[in-house]
Amino acid sequence: MDRAVAIAHRGPAHGPNPRVGCVLLGPDGTVLGEGWHRGAGTAHAEVAAIADARAGGFDLTGSTAVVTLEPCNHTGRTGPCVDALAQAGVGTVVFGVTDPGDASSGGAAALIRRGIPARLEPHPGAQVLTRRWVASMRRGRPYVIAKWASTLDGRMAAADGTSFWITGEEAREHAHRVRAEVDAIAVGTGTVLTDDPALTARPGGSPAAHQPLRVVVGTRDTAGRRVWEGGGALAIASHDPAVVLEELWAREARTVIVEGGPTMLTAFLRAGLVDEVHAYIAPALLGAGPTVVDDLGIGTMRDSLRGQAVTSERLGADTLITALLTEGV
Ligand code: AOF
Ligand code: ZN
């Protein structure tokens, strides 16, 4: 399963489908074939592994398929992996995470009905690989990462509105790498008007192969701003976070970064629609200027929003703190 997880990582983190890896083992434990999923519309990991084994001239009768995700039981963009495994003569299936999809789930039961033992062996690596995707499928909405950069005293801009270069090069580079892994980046019209961000993913200074959908939320006129350059950006004329996520879900977005400003971040937090926080903290103090989040309607410490599975990472002079906010993510 470790090997299946490792090859699954070669697939894209963005897009409507999860990253999946599959290793086919002979009765004596030798590897007969390997495959991973390269994104929606392409072969599933199992089908790719079967093709790999066939190319090597191997007979798969009685083999064991080790898959990071429960084999699918539906015809989506491609056919059911349950059928492909059965037709190939695979004898046993082991998987690391259960498929939460409405249509695609039930693969293990379908295999067992055909006399092919299939069992879940929960695997931490497989869970990490699919964590955001599984959460989005369970919720029926995109997984939301709220991202901001602030000073030590929680301010995202100075009193005169200047906000560029709060954090340093390493922190900005990290944020660009995260952008390249998601389906969409959403900001409010206020941020577009004050900061005029391009909202593109530029790790290492050059544009990533995958560019997330750029989304402008709100009703104010932002014509002529950089976000509209090159076309393809999306305007959502609503202030309701649920409406924004519905619109993005309809476009098959599974992961979204909400980048601000304070009005937008506050609306998402108030609605309970932030799954994960990425706070880049600079060792600077301003003492005045807007804070990253406004009134959340929380009056007492007991009701504070508390992060779980918190991590911290030094990025140059800055620190990235990540925390999960919703249950079961
Ligand atoms: C698998 N193996 O490698 C993947 C699976 O539209 P499709 O045909 O690509 O199906 C997408 C769904 O299939 C996806 O939502 C998820 O439930 C499952 N993904 N399943 O057995 C794979 N990528
Ligand atoms: Zn499949």
Side-chain angles (χ1 to χ4, degrees), residues 44-47 70-74 78-82:
H44 285 191
E46 299 88 323
V47 172
E70 179 180 15
C72 71
N73 188 33
H74 79 312
T78 64
C81 288
V82 161

Side-chain angles (χ1 to χ4, degrees), residues 200-225:
T200 51
R202 299 180 306 277
S206 45
H210 161 72
Q211 289 296 326
L213 175 66
R214 294 169 289 166
V215 183
V216 177
V217 177
T219 50
R220 277 188 284 169
D221 183 11
T222 57
R225 299 294 164 146

